[in-house]
Amino acid sequence: MAAPVSVSVRHRSTAPARLQIRMGNVNEGKGIFAPVVVIVRNIIGRKRFNQLRGKAIALHSQVITEFCKTIGADSKQRQGLIRLAKKNGEKLGFLA
């Protein structure tokens, strides 16, 4: 017969720290164009500003799509270019 085996189990006394999920742009208020974006948003109002920004983003995505068609890039490459454009916009302050 085998001898009994002793196993020690350690329990955590505290719960692990949770990551805070933050929605939005991590570069908000930063970037070379951020002050201009904030001023324009304050002048024309948040609702109208978001409508104009949405139209500009859609237009830019269309330009990227047409460019990808011209050079023969597939949809995965197009998607990557659109993501890159968004990251660049955040860094430059267009999404402030």
Side-chain angles (χ1 to χ4, degrees):
M1 225 191 210
V5 176
S6 159
V7 177
S8 100
V9 178
R10 293 171 46 183
H11 295 280
R12 290 186 187 191
S13 60
T14 60
R18 293 184 182 231
L19 294 176
Q20 284 187 333
I21 297 174
R22 182 169 180 241
M23 299 296 283
N25 180 5
V26 295
N27 293 318
E28 190 166 347
K30 299 177 185 172
I32 193 167
F33 294 104
V36 174
V37 170
V38 171
I39 289 169
V40 171
R41 183 177 62 209
N42 290 339
I43 291 172
I44 67 173
R46 188 174 294 270
K47 183 177 179 181
R48 179 74 180 132
F49 177 78
N50 285 337
Q51 289 171 342
L52 288 173
R53 180 172 25 199
K55 288 179 183 178
I57 290 170
L59 181 63
H60 193 228
S61 294
Q62 288 174 356
V63 170
I64 292 171
T65 299
E66 288 302 315
F67 172 74
C68 288
K69 285 180 185 176
T70 301
I71 65 168
D74 63 8
S75 62
K76 192 172 184 178
Q77 290 170 320
R78 180 184 61 84
Q79 204 171 32
L81 287 174
I82 291 173
R83 284 193 182 113
L84 180 62
K86 183 176 187 270
K87 286 181 185 178
N88 288 337
E90 288 174 352
K91 288 178 185 176
L92 291 172
F94 286 118
L95 301 178

